[in-house]
Each structure stands twice: as C-alpha cells, then as structure tokens.
Amino acid sequence: MSDEKPPQLVDYFVVAGLTDTSRPLEEENQQHRAARPSEPITDVAVIIRSQGEEVPHGFTCIETTTSGHPVDLNAGLLNNPQMFICYKRSRDKPPLIELGVHYEGKDRPKPGYKILDTTPYSRSANLNSGGPGHQRTFLTYRRAAEPHGHNTLGVTDICLIMPSKGESTPHTFCRVDKNLNTSMWGPALFLCYKIAMAKANTLVYEAGLLGRYPEQDSESFPLPESVPVFCLPMGATIESWPADTKYPLPVFSTFVLTGASGDKVYGAAIQFHEAFPRERLSEKQSLRLGLLSVVDRRPVAGRSLQTRKSICVLSHWPFFDVFRKFLMFIYRYSISGPHVLPLETHISHFMHNVPFPSPQRPRILVQMSPYDNLLLCRPVSSPLPLSGASFLTLLQNLGPDNAVALLVAVLTEQKLLIHSLRPDVLTSVGEALVAMIFPLRWQCPYIPLCPLALADVLCAPVPFIVGIHSSYFDLYEPPRDVIFIDLDTNTIFQSEERKLLSPRSLPRRPCKVLLASLHSLSQQLDEMYSGPGEEASLELLLSDAEAARGRRAQLELEARAAFLRFMACVLRGYRSFLRPIAPAPAPAGRDASSLFALQAFLKSRERAYHRFYGQLLRTQLFTQFIEDCSFASDRDPCLEFFDTCVDKVQAELEKPEDTPLMELDDPRGGEHTVFITPPEQPAGPDGTELPARVPVRPPPYTPRLRHPPGPPNSASAPTPPPSYDGFPTLRPELLEPPRDPLVAQLCQARSSAPSSPAPRRTKQEMKVAQRVAQKYSSVPEMWAKCLLGHCYGLWFLYLPTHVRAAPAKLRALQLAYDVLRKMEAHKVVLPDEVCYRILMQLCGQYGEPVLSVRVLLEMKRAGIVPNTITYGYYNKAVLESKWPAGTQGGRLRWAKLRNVVLGAAQFRQPLRQRERRAAAAPSAPDPLPPRLRGPPGSADGSLSDISFATDESDRADEGPGGAGGVAGGTPRRGLAAKLQQLLSPGKRSPLRPAASAELPTGSRDAAAGPRRGSEQRDGDPPPRRSPAETLLRPRERPESTASESSVSLGSELDLSDTSVGSTGIPKSAEPPADRATGQEPPAVEVLLSSCSRCQGCGALVYDEEVMAGWTSDDSNLNTTCPFCNRSFVPFLSIEIQDFQLPPSATEDGSLPPPTAQGPVLSDRRHCLALDEAEPELCNGYPDTAVPRRSERVAFAYLSPLVLRKELESLVENEGGEFLAQPELVDSHPIIYWNLVWYFQRLGLPSNLPHLLLGSQHVAPAPQVKWGAMGGGIGGGRQPSGHLPVPQMQPPESPCVRIRLLWDVLAPEPDSSPPLYVLWRLQSKIPTRLQSWQPHGHPFSPAFLGAVMNHVGLSEVHKAITLLLETLPAPGGPRHPQRSIYREILFLTLAALGRDHMDIAAFDKKYKSAYNKLAGSLGKEELRRRRAQPPSSKAIDCRKSFGATLEC
C-alpha cells in the first residue's frame, strides 16, 4: 500500500489583518491619479437657467461633457430653456445606487425607483420640453435602503457624453442607453455614472498573518507567505466612522494560488470589521482619520475606529459554497456568546473530523450547531480538469457576445484585466476564462483576484489574466496596453495600442453554433431569475432546492460543452500533423516545429481564417499543447477525452450534434449520506451540561503600526483593554485532535498505490470499451473476439510484473511484441490501446527504443491511430532511451560470420542423421573448431548448445536460470540466436514451428534427458532441430496441429488442414510435460475446470456455453443457461494435488525414480497397448504415486470484462508488485485462479502458478526462494500452435503443472456416468474419474458400439434417436446432466482420440441431424430433451479460444 496522504478537505485555517510589520499601501504611485471622492452622491436635480433658477446650495452642476464640449439638454431648439443636471455629495442620507431615464408613456415605472419630475423651484423637470408633441423625459434614481453601512456601494460620479463628438463611456462607468435629447435637432446625449465605495478617513496597510492552524507546514503543501494579502486584497484598513454607523455585512471572496507545477490551491475568505483602539495611533494618523481637529489638535467626538480582518480556509478543492457557510458560522460564533466550547474546537473539528466525499460516501452532512448545518457533496465526475469556473456567472455578467470576444482574446494571449466590486465573482469568471480554451492551458501569469500589494504585475511585458477590485482605479492609473473587462457594467474597454481580433476572424460555422448555444443558455437563465423580486424570492424559497441546483448544474454543463465543441472544431484533425520521433532524437527534439507540422496544419484551414490560426500557432498555449500531446503527462486522460470529442464533432454543421459531448455524471444523487455530529460539549461532575462561559484568553492582538515619516505620538502608549472584543487569537492548546477513531478512519480515503509501469485505462476508454462490448454482444463471431481481446488485455496488464521477474528483459519484451503481431494477424478485437501502451512504456523503461518504434508501426498497420496517452508514452520511450550505434560495419561482419556458421551447420545435418541410423558406426570427425564445438553433454551437438564465450555481459543478463535459444533450455544460448539478436536488437528469432510445437513447454528445460513423448513411441526420436536450422526453414504448419485445438492467438478452425482419417480429424492432444519427458511427477498438479452446473435445470454448462451466456456488463457475474435460459454464476472448480515429499525425504535426497510415461488416454490404440503391457500404470503414473495432499476449492468464473475491471482496481490499490507475491493466492483467490485459467488457456507465460507454492494450499517447501525465482507456467500443457512459453524458473524450483479439463472434476452421486467414461471403463482404459459406478445404468457395450457405428457412418440422427429412446427424461431419477450433443461428442473423442476427430465437421453433421429430427419431433421437444446443438456464439467462442481441454 502507498503512504500517500489521502484527500483532505481543508489544508489550513488562516487569520489575516494588521501586524507590526504592515507597511502603508496608499502613498505609493498616487501622483497619476486625482484624489478620489470622499463622499457618495445622495441627490440629483434639474435646473432651468432660462427661468432664473440657480444651482442649489451644495450641488454641483454638469456644464460640459467628458471632453469639454458644452452641455445643454435642449440644444438646437428655438425656445431653448437651458436645462442642466446637478448632483450633491453628502453622508447625511443613504447614497444613490442607480440612475435611469424614464420615457413617459413608453416605460413602466420600475419598482424602487423614484421619478425626478420637478426642479428644486417646483417647475417641471421634463428634459425635453420643446412643445406638446415631444416625448416627455425624466430622470429616475434608486436610493440605498436604510440603515446603510459606512462602506455601502453608491454612485460616486456622474458625467454626460456625446457619441457624435467621438466620446465613449469612461472606464468603470455605467451608461444609461436612453438618449436625453429625443428631439429631431441637437446631438444625442447620454448619462453615465460610476458606482463605488466612497471611503473617507481610511488608512490602508499591507495585510499580515495573525494566526494559522496547523502551525506546522505540511510536507506536500507548505503555507504560502502571500496568503494574507490575498485574504485582504485591498489591504488591511483602519477606518474612522461616525459613532452611529451600522456595521457592514461580511464580504465573501475567493482566490486561486497557482504553484510552479500548475497545481491550483483555492482560498475562500470573509472580510469583516472590528473595533480598533485609538491609543495605537500616532498624531499624524489621527489627523488623517479625522480624529483630531486640524487647528488645535483636539479630539473629535462622535467618531469610532474600526479595522478590517479576514478569516480564510485553503483547500485543493473549490467547495466555495461549503466554505462560505463554515466561515460565516465561525464569524457569527465569535461575535455571539458566551459559549461552552471555545472557537478553536469548531475549527479543529471541521478540519479533522469531516471526511472528503468519496464514491462510497458521496454526501457528507455536517451539523455544526443545532441551527447550522452544511451539505458536502462529491465533485461532479468529469474528464475535464477540476476548476472553480462558473460559465453561467460569465454569461450573466458579460453576455454571449462579450464572452466570444473574450474567447478570442484568450486564444491570442492578450493582456486581460477583469475588475468588479464583487470579489467573489472575479474568481468564478477568471476560472471560466482559462477553462473555456480547453484543451489549451494558460501559460502566462494568472491571478483571478490580485491583491493591491501585487498590482505591479499589470506592468509586466507578458500576457496575463488578472482580476482586481474596481476600487483599484481610485488609487492608481491603469496601464494603457491592457484590455479591461468590467463585470459590473458588462463592457469591454480596448485601448488604441491593443485591439482585439474580431469574432468574425473565427471559423464561421463553429462560431455561429457557439453563439446560438450561448444565447439560448442566457435566455434560460433570464427565465429562471425573471419576475418581480418578491415573487421570485418566494418561488425560490418554496421550490425544491435540490432540483434547482440540478437544473443549474445541467446548464453549466451545456455551457461548458458549447465551448468544448468550438475548440474541437478549431483543432480538428490536429493529430494527423503530429510528428512521431522515429529515428534517434536530435537535441531539439522537444521543439514544437519538430513535433508538429505547423505550416501543413495552417494550409489545411480555410484561407479566410489564416490570421486567427497564425496568431494561435505562435502562442505559448499551442506550443505547450503540442508538448503535452507528444509526451506523457498528467493531462493524458483529459487530452484523450478531447480526442474523442474531436471524433464526434462535425465542423461543417451549423447546429450541435445529437450526441452530447459531455454527460452529467453527478454522484450526489446517491442515498448514502454520512452524518457528522457537532463537537461534544463537556459535562459537569454530576453529568449535567456546563453553563456557557467566555473562555479566559489573553488580550486581543493589536499591532504596533509602522508609522509614516513624522514623530509618533508618545503619549499614546499601548494599554490592554479591560475586556475582549473581536475575533480571538487562536490558542494551540484549544485546537483538539480527531475525537473519534471511526471518523478519522472515514477521513482516510483509500488512495491509489504507486502502480507498476502499466498505465490504467481512462474513464473514457472504459466507456468506449463498454459500448464496443454492447455492440458485439449480439454478433456471435465478434463477441468471441471481443472476449479474446479482453483476455489479452489481462495479460498485458500483468506484463510489467512478468518482465520485472524475467532474467532476460529483451526476450520477454520481444515475446510480447510477437503476441501483438499474432493478435493483429487473427483480427482480435482490442477494446482500447492499453496493450500497445504498456509495451511502449516497458520499452522506454528497459531502454529499447527500436522495439517501441516497431510497436508504433504495428499500430499503424492495424489501422489504429494512437491517442494522446499512447503517443505520449511512445515519444517518451523514444526520447529518453539510449539508441544503439548507427554504424553498420560491425553488423555486416557479424552477418557474414553468421552465414558461414549456419552453412556449416546445414552441411552437418546429413552426417548427423546418417550417424544416428548406423548406431555401431564410428563417429565422424567434428568439422567445427573446438571454440564453437558443443559441450560434451550435448545430446546432438547442435548449435543450440554453443556458448558465445566472449559475450560475458549477455551471459550475465541471462542469469543462472535464464532462457536460452530454446525457452527454458540450457543456460547457454545458441550462437545463431546470439547473432540474430546482435544483428536485429528489436527482432525476435522465429519460433520453431514443428519441434517446439510438439514438445510441451514444461519439458523443454530438460531436453538433454531421455525423450519419451508420444512423438517418439513409433520409432527413434527425431533429431533435435537447432536454432540455425530453424532460422533457415520457412514457417510451416505442424502436421500434428489441430485445427480447432490449436489455441493460438485468436486462431479459428481450419477445415482444410486435416490428417488422414475417416472424419478428417487433425491431431491435437499433447502429453503432459513430465510424462512426455520421463521426469518425476511435478511437485504440485492443479486441475481446473470451468464446467458449471445450472442451479435451475441441473444441466452442466461447458466453457464455450458459459462464454456465450456472458453479457457486456462489466459488473455482471452471471451467465445464461442455454437449456433453461436462467441466469446463474459459473464457477471454476480447482483440485490441488501436492506431490511434494516430506522435508526429511527431500533433504535426504531419497526421491522416487522417474517412471516411464504412458500415452495420452485419448489415443485408443496406445491406451490399449499400455493396458496390456503395463497394467500397473494409471494415466501415466504408477498406482502408488498418489498426492500427499489434495484439496478441492471453487471460485466464481469471471468474464474477461469483469476480471479486467477487478484486476485494474487491484493494481491501482495494491500496486503491480502485488501480482508477484504469494499473498495474491490467499487474499484475492478469485482474481488469481481466473488469471491462471485464462493465461493457461491461451498459452501465455506468467509466474502465477509458482505463487501457489507459497500459499496455504500447498505444504511449505523450505528450499523455495521467492526472491530468486523467475517463474513460469511450469510443466503446464502447451496447446499446439501457441507461442512457446519461456521457462524462467531456476532449475531447482519445484514444478507446478496446470491442467485444464473440459468436464467436471468429480462426479455427483445421483448422476449417471457419461458415455465416454463408460466406454473407457468397459475398454479397460484407465480414467481420471475412478469413482463412477459402472453399474445401474442402461448403457451396454452394444449400445455404445451402436452409437459409435452411427457416428462413423455419418448417421448422427440415428445416434441422437437412440439416445433419446434410452436416456431418461430430464427431471427423473439418475437423469443425465449432459446434453445429447455433449455425450456423443465426448464419446467420439474418447473412442477415436482427439488426433483423429474434426470437431467442426462433427458440429456440421450434428446440426444437420438436428434439423432433420426437428421436422418430425419438433424443436421444442428436442430442446426439452437437451438435444439441441450449441449456439453459433458458443461455437465461435470455442473456435477463438480453442478446444484443447482434456476430458
């Protein structure tokens, strides 16, 4: 297991405010900005100067526009009344918060607005008083509600503009889009106003850290030093208020911190005010705050002093709503009371005892107090990167057109400055801007909420996205080359120095679809929040909050999908222009021009959009995107998801596709909710609750401010106040550790262990594989290949473990490469690219770039375009691995030497064969020199035993138990194999088609010993074929290879290749390894059978029928019975036979001598000869060779789809190394035995059988050393036609043999014996199942002979009729468990031998007979008697997986 820290909800709790080191912020760089207004506008008025009205006292008249043109509201009229607008500033009433223009007769009065219909002198204030036919126009305004706080937003400035004079709306001003001059004469005139906080008597300082928890930094994430300035972005202020001013509500804000690696940390903070002691101020500070009179320095009465503080939480998760509720609860708790529990208890309780939501517990309900709770839901599962973006907030504040304009600005890397008076909106919009360009990543400075102390970044000469509070413009002059986005006025301001590209420069059709989608979403948002305020609020309160949240989440998903579709259309086909690194990479291998064909990509786009694409290709966005696509990175799953979106979209359409690009996969609708109780209150001595009290604390922290230049007031010495008032200073002793071990365990979510080099499938690949399986489940021939593809996917998931244990890494990688090639040759349906990806990554890990290039070429030949993940692993393997030398001189010399040696070996073959024919003839002189002569113990003197004495490094790589030219043979490798490897490092020598296929895998490690296999029984053993001869011989199909029994990689039945016989039956059966070689029995023998009994009808369902009944659901363990159509769980039956002698006998070396081996029992002639010659032998073993220990177990037989999902979960949680540990057998037996079954069934090498020696099923063997054992399928019967399985186990390791059986392991007492067993018993042929009762059944030898005669004469319908008449009906006493098809098939196999039977031809005859009988008896009756043939899906499964199972 991994020691990685599980996901934590909150990392830090921070308190920020004034400290001793705080420096003033307001006195720097203010020479470019005029003094800001100190008071808001509280009144507006209209005066008519032609009527003798003067400007009222305290009012200011607007006489000119922003550029100095004279203003007259009725200019151009003959009877010009000379009307002007005036405004007044004060703090004696609530400020104005909005202005407007009302057209009488056209507009309905807005609620909350007041119409200014008269002047201060009681005359009509109609702004268009030209005559009775003109439109009556009045000013309107809305005032802030009573009582108002000191920092209430209000109108701080008013101006008039004339667009005909080239004037535009000033920055940060709101424009009323109604012309004040509605007459036919005179220029158009518009009213503009600015909303801000008019602060007076305020000192601004840089914020510092007042408290934190925990006090120690985390190793993975230390607390950044800049957190306090982000908590108070506009500084920690000291403000002087009137004594009766109401405290403002806390202000919530969010921010994002980006690390050097691109990781984001989200912060949520609330800002509030609390009292500040006047004694801490100097005289100069008191004067600036208005606390002292300017003339006599006397204190001013009726003033209060306040300071601004902030509390904040930092997290890696953007749960902004949850954090807001928690911080507001902490703030209210601090200003109320007294309380029983201190504040620190609630803080530590939330940080320690609230777990992070997971799939098992998607909803966390936290009860903070009897009246306060919050619901924490698991984030929506999405393939896109996690962010705090809100596209709906973007649309609500900017609108669709401005959103598309900003998309162009971000794609072309402009300087963007977002500002608003609402700090919580800045982060949501900033995150949306960087998320809308997915899959591109913003590479330049990104600060969605920039503190005032870091405002210098606006002068940086690089592109940036910065969000800032709008009050920044009251302090500083903004830069001129920046594009301003005002979220409060829904406007974008562009300077003359930097103009944006027009949205028309974007591709027309994708842009049109994007705009249409955004307009539709904007309209739906307006409908959700439309209507009168009181009615809307009541409706929202009465509506279902969960449904409203779900509707908003759906709209958010649609908005994000709209931008995703646009980016997919813009970058469509980009993968075709990626340049893979095929030769040895140059030093500039990571340059974008060498990784991507930029000019070719540009030429593939329409010429009208070249300007946009040209700027896009030159950005850092696109350069980083190409690097991410070319090399493996943590963004691979996201990029792979984007590739699937590119394949779905059709850029030429003018409407979105019917298939959505994103689906709402929200796990919050689950029923499982974890309830977290509030902290327990301490009880008194008698068990009663303690009374509420105020905890004893030190005085609140009041810093000694750093004074500006000037003598401080020495009389104001710091004196602690008598009582505590304000947010407390955190005390470490009151911060409690986790209180409940169970809750602490909930917080420890299981994290992923560092897996083996095998990369996991992404969620998108899993969904695609599921859809492919659903599609092919209804196509018989494709369903079998789909299952086969998942089986090979299992082996490739295990491949890193196998390669890690292999002594010869290159040989293991080449074997995997051969497996890939055979998979492609047999058109195996691969659900994903994991097989190629794993092999590419292993090539990079073990330094084989040439082999990685070959794997990529194989993918292209198979028509597979590598996705981003596979492409990244390929380039990483090619770029980081060491390439072989490019000189070919040595290769040519070795090639000449190889040809000479191979030619000499060919000339020696006739001489060697002649010597073997004449046993008494003297041996011929050896023409080879002593250096290249075989060892004295060589059986035939072939080149396979010649060692390359000079290649010490290669010999060391093989190790003591390494695989040589023959897998599992002598430790020294053949010269031809060595030369072949030197000449072609990434190419594996061809497999020996004949000799290797006939010799089972388990017997190849003892080729020097006597060979007593079935292939030797009729005469002298054939000469051992050397690698040199194998290299020169063309590949050919062995004569003994069965068409359907050759379980090659997806091999199918070959009806044209049949041996001589009445039914054209090819040879298939192979003897077990130890019996074929004459060795002693294996240490452990394992018998496996997948034949399962249906619980509904009691029939036996065999392997191919089980496979045909599986579904495409990767969580469904059931299969379907072909007889009763009921679902049941199939089982793997396992019998483990331990032949190991006790340790005493092993230590003495008193092992029984090896016995002679009998033939395979399916060969009738040899079995009869064996019975007559050696009656004491039973199935090749003497009767006394019984296992010392035998055990039978059964586990669920899993579909490859289910098993792959479970194996991926196991590797993710336990790590790939766990697959090489013996604990796998006992802790995960279902996964273990299913893997053993599939790997043995397909003849794929693995170390899994040897893990059995260290499990509880086998007696402990002291001589076994797991650390040195490479492992392999020891002694297992190798199906003919498969890849030879290299034996990588040490010579001294015990042998484990695996046998796969077609039928059941043990008979049931109430069942009749099968016909093939009766035939063997009556023919005196030993059988594995000795417990069958030979009596009590209606089958006589004549009956069996009659059935066989009918089959031999191709009268299968008569055999079926005979069985129907003799067998009892299903459901009766001693009814048969096997179908009639299975009885006849097994009887024919036992009587004729598998070597002489073609199962495919038998299936055709049986199906023809069934159709013939169905006309007379009916299909329903035949199905009831279980006489129907197997389905086409079952037959295809048998063809794909092979039928080499033993009966």
Side-chain angles (χ1 to χ4, degrees), residues 1291-1340:
E1292 69 273 4
S1293 63
C1295 178
V1296 178
R1297 184 174 65 190
I1298 306 295
R1299 294 176 59 189
L1300 307 184
L1301 304 182
W1302 210 344
D1303 209 351
V1304 294
L1305 295 181
E1308 295 188 7
D1310 58 343
S1311 61
S1312 299
L1315 300 184
Y1316 77 94
V1317 173
L1318 293 177
W1319 185 89
R1320 287 178 176 175
L1321 292 177
Q1322 294 172 2
S1323 302
K1324 307 299 182 182
I1325 296 178
T1327 181
R1328 178 181 56 83
L1329 300 175
Q1330 300 290 338
S1331 57
W1332 289 106
Q1333 297 181 4
H1335 307 289
H1337 55 82
F1339 310 117
S1340 62

Side-chain angles (χ1 to χ4, degrees), residues 589-850:
R590 287 183 175 268
D591 184 48
S593 59
S594 61
L595 299 174
F596 190 80
L598 296 174
Q599 294 300 322
F601 177 78
L602 185 61
K603 292 179 181 178
S604 66
R605 310 294 146 173
E606 295 184 27
R607 189 173 186 86
Y609 312 126
H610 277 197
R611 183 181 178 188
F612 163 72
Y613 279 105
Q615 293 192 23
L616 177 64
L617 298 182
R618 291 192 297 268
T619 59
Q620 301 180 47
L621 294 169
F622 194 80
T623 301
Q624 185 62 39
F625 171 68
I626 295 303
E627 291 187 6
D628 291 340
C629 294
S630 301
F631 303 99
S633 66
D634 56 349
R635 301 186 69 233
D636 286 344
C638 301
L639 297 177
E640 191 269 340
F641 165 73
F642 179 74
D643 290 344
T644 61
C645 296
V646 173
D647 297 335
K648 292 180 181 179
V649 299
Q650 300 178 13
E652 65 277 0
L653 296 181
E654 295 189 0
K655 62 178 182 178
E657 291 76 12
D658 297 332
T659 304
L661 298 182
M662 298 178 60
E663 298 177 358
L664 187 61
D665 184 15
D666 192 351
R668 294 179 294 182
E671 299 294 336
H672 190 188
T673 301
V674 177
F675 181 74
I676 304 298
T677 59
E680 296 180 359
Q681 298 184 359
D686 54 351
T688 60
E689 294 184 1
L690 294 178
R693 60 183 176 84
V694 179
V696 179
R697 296 179 176 275
Y701 179 76
T702 52
R704 184 71 176 178
L705 297 178
R706 179 180 300 178
H707 301 285
N713 185 6
S714 60
S716 58
T719 58
S723 63
Y724 171 76
D725 184 17
F727 195 86
T729 302
L730 298 181
R731 298 178 60 183
E733 63 272 13
L734 298 179
L735 294 163
E736 299 179 356
R739 58 183 174 92
D740 191 355
L742 178 61
V743 176
Q745 185 179 2
L746 284 176
C747 296
Q748 301 295 319
R750 195 171 194 181
S751 59
S752 299
S755 178
S756 60
R760 297 178 62 250
R761 287 188 298 174
T762 62
K763 292 184 179 180
Q764 192 66 24
E765 287 178 322
M766 294 180 183
K767 292 180 180 179
V768 172
Q770 189 71 16
R771 288 196 294 265
V772 171
Q774 292 177 356
K775 176 182 177 181
Y776 290 155
S777 60
S778 59
V779 185
E781 61 273 10
M782 299 307 297
W783 174 246
K785 293 185 177 182
C786 180
L787 292 179
L788 195 64
H790 280 278
C791 289
Y792 285 112
L794 291 170
W795 184 75
F796 275 93
L797 283 176
Y798 174 77
L799 181 61
T801 304
H802 178 71
V803 175
R804 191 184 305 112
K809 313 297 183 185
L810 178 58
R811 184 175 297 276
L813 294 177
Q814 290 173 341
L815 174 64
Y817 175 70
D818 291 337
V819 170
L820 280 179
R821 296 185 61 185
K822 286 187 173 291
M823 289 166 55
E824 298 165 4
H826 292 89
K827 296 180 173 58
V828 176
V829 176
L830 293 178
D832 45 56
E833 305 173 13
V834 173
C835 300
Y836 299 95
R837 190 185 310 159
I838 291 175
L839 186 54
M840 286 180 179
Q841 188 173 6
L842 290 174
C843 291
Q845 182 180 358
Y846 295 104
E848 294 295 333
V850 178

Side-chain angles (χ1 to χ4, degrees), residues 1091-1110:
C1091 182
S1092 302
R1093 185 172 181 266
C1094 174
Q1095 302 299 325
C1097 60
L1100 291 179
V1101 183
Y1102 289 86
D1103 189 64
E1104 59 269 25
E1105 296 168 338
V1106 171
M1107 292 183 177
W1110 275 328

Side-chain angles (χ1 to χ4, degrees), residues 158-207:
I158 300 175
C159 69
L160 297 173
I161 62 171
M162 291 183 182
S164 60
K165 301 294 184 180
E167 298 176 351
S168 60
T169 306
H171 184 219
T172 70
F173 275 68
C174 299
R175 170 176 165 174
V176 180
D177 289 327
K178 289 186 178 180
N179 187 7
L180 296 178
N181 188 5
T182 59
S183 64
M184 298 178 58
W185 313 100
L189 199 63
F190 292 92
L191 176 68
C192 301
Y193 63 93
K194 178 180 180 181
I195 298 178
M197 285 185 292
K199 294 183 179 180
N201 304 326
T202 302
L203 299 178
V204 183
Y205 293 86
E206 183 179 4

Side-chain angles (χ1 to χ4, degrees), residues 413-683:
E413 288 187 346
Q414 306 294 327
K415 295 183 179 181
L416 302 180
L417 178 59
I418 315 167
H419 61 89
S420 173
L421 296 171
R422 300 161 293 167
D424 57 327
V425 176
L426 291 173
T427 300
S428 300
V429 174
E431 286 283 276
L433 288 181
V434 298
M436 68 169 58
I437 61 173
F438 176 84
L440 307 181
R441 278 194 303 177
W442 184 260
Q443 300 295 314
C444 302
Y446 168 64
I447 310 175
L449 180 58
C450 182
L452 202 60
L454 303 180
D456 293 340
V457 71
L458 300 179
C459 301
V462 295
F464 56 76
I465 296 178
V466 174
I468 202 164
H469 198 276
S470 294
S471 58
Y472 164 82
F473 301 101
D474 297 333
L475 303 174
Y476 300 102
E477 187 73 25
R480 295 184 177 181
D481 59 343
V482 175
I483 299 174
F484 301 95
I485 301 101
D486 192 346
L487 301 181
D488 299 325
T489 62
N490 188 12
T491 52
I492 298 178
F493 297 91
Q494 304 181 38
S495 63
E496 297 295 335
E497 301 179 3
R498 188 178 293 268
K499 285 290 186 179
L500 279 176
L501 281 178
S502 172
R504 295 183 178 180
S505 62
L506 298 176
R508 185 182 64 85
R509 292 187 180 91
C511 185
K512 182 179 180 181
V513 174
L514 175 62
L515 275 174
S517 301
L518 295 183
H519 278 288
S520 176
L521 292 172
S522 181
Q523 183 178 359
Q524 296 180 50
L525 283 176
D526 293 340
E527 294 175 357
M528 288 179 60
Y529 298 100
S530 62
E534 295 181 359
E535 297 180 5
S537 299
L538 181 61
E539 182 181 357
L540 290 176
L541 287 175
L542 297 177
S543 63
D544 188 1
E546 193 72 23
R549 185 163 48 245
R551 175 59 177 164
R552 186 174 178 88
Q554 181 65 33
L555 294 179
E556 185 77 30
L557 185 73
E558 293 178 6
R560 190 158 195 172
F563 286 102
L564 177 62
R565 184 193 182 277
F566 173 80
M567 293 302 301
C569 294
V570 168
L571 298 176
R572 72 185 190 281
Y574 78 97
R575 300 209 61 82
S576 304
F577 301 94
L578 290 172
R579 294 175 175 176
I581 306 176
R590 287 183 175 268
D591 184 48
S593 59
S594 61
L595 299 174
F596 190 80
L598 296 174
Q599 294 300 322
F601 177 78
L602 185 61
K603 292 179 181 178
S604 66
R605 310 294 146 173
E606 295 184 27
R607 189 173 186 86
Y609 312 126
H610 277 197
R611 183 181 178 188
F612 163 72
Y613 279 105
Q615 293 192 23
L616 177 64
L617 298 182
R618 291 192 297 268
T619 59
Q620 301 180 47
L621 294 169
F622 194 80
T623 301
Q624 185 62 39
F625 171 68
I626 295 303
E627 291 187 6
D628 291 340
C629 294
S630 301
F631 303 99
S633 66
D634 56 349
R635 301 186 69 233
D636 286 344
C638 301
L639 297 177
E640 191 269 340
F641 165 73
F642 179 74
D643 290 344
T644 61
C645 296
V646 173
D647 297 335
K648 292 180 181 179
V649 299
Q650 300 178 13
E652 65 277 0
L653 296 181
E654 295 189 0
K655 62 178 182 178
E657 291 76 12
D658 297 332
T659 304
L661 298 182
M662 298 178 60
E663 298 177 358
L664 187 61
D665 184 15
D666 192 351
R668 294 179 294 182
E671 299 294 336
H672 190 188
T673 301
V674 177
F675 181 74
I676 304 298
T677 59
E680 296 180 359
Q681 298 184 359

Side-chain angles (χ1 to χ4, degrees), residues 19-36:
T19 61
D20 291 335
T21 58
S22 295
R23 61 182 181 88
L25 295 177
E26 211 172 19
E27 296 189 357
E28 300 178 1
N29 302 328
Q30 291 196 43
Q31 62 274 16
H32 301 294
R33 171 64 72 183
R36 58 181 177 178

Side-chain angles (χ1 to χ4, degrees), residues 950-1174:
T950 60
D951 193 3
E952 295 295 334
S953 61
D954 192 72
R955 188 181 307 176
D957 180 71
E958 290 294 323
V966 181
T970 58
R972 291 185 291 182
R973 303 172 58 190
L975 175 62
K978 291 180 177 291
L979 295 177
Q980 184 71 15
Q981 180 181 356
L982 289 174
L983 293 175
S984 302
K987 185 176 181 180
R988 187 172 179 269
S989 60
L991 304 175
R992 291 181 291 176
S996 298
E998 295 182 7
L999 182 62
T1001 307
S1003 61
R1004 296 175 189 175
D1005 56 338
R1011 304 173 58 162
R1012 303 191 181 103
S1014 59
E1015 69 276 4
Q1016 307 176 16
R1017 290 193 293 269
D1018 297 335
D1020 295 336
R1024 179 179 178 185
R1025 194 171 281 114
S1026 64
E1029 181 181 357
T1030 306
L1031 289 172
L1032 295 179
R1033 284 196 56 179
R1035 291 177 179 263
E1036 61 183 9
R1037 182 182 178 92
E1039 295 178 358
S1040 62
T1041 302
S1043 60
E1044 193 171 349
S1045 63
S1046 60
V1047 196
S1048 60
L1049 303 173
S1051 62
E1052 298 191 10
L1053 193 61
D1054 187 2
L1055 300 179
S1056 62
D1057 186 13
T1058 57
S1059 58
V1060 180
S1062 59
T1063 56
I1065 305 173
K1067 180 179 177 181
S1068 65
E1070 294 290 343
D1074 54 304
R1075 302 179 189 179
T1077 58
Q1079 297 183 14
E1080 65 276 2
V1084 177
E1085 184 179 58
V1086 181
L1087 307 179
L1088 287 94
S1089 174
S1090 62
C1091 182
S1092 302
R1093 185 172 181 266
C1094 174
Q1095 302 299 325
C1097 60
L1100 291 179
V1101 183
Y1102 289 86
D1103 189 64
E1104 59 269 25
E1105 296 168 338
V1106 171
M1107 292 183 177
W1110 275 328
T1111 64
S1112 59
D1113 187 3
D1114 58 2
S1115 301
N1116 190 357
L1117 306 183
N1118 295 323
T1119 188
T1120 303
C1121 176
F1123 307 106
C1124 63
N1125 294 327
R1126 296 181 182 178
S1127 298
F1128 71 99
V1129 178
F1131 284 88
L1132 274 178
S1133 302
I1134 304 108
E1135 181 177 348
I1136 305 172
Q1137 299 178 358
D1138 188 1
F1139 292 95
Q1140 295 183 101
L1141 296 180
S1144 58
T1146 305
E1147 294 173 2
D1148 298 339
S1150 57
L1151 295 176
T1155 59
Q1157 168 62 30
V1160 172
L1161 298 184
S1162 60
D1163 193 331
R1164 180 182 181 187
R1165 181 173 58 84
H1166 289 296
C1167 290
L1168 294 177
L1170 173 66
D1171 183 62
E1172 296 176 359
E1174 301 181 31

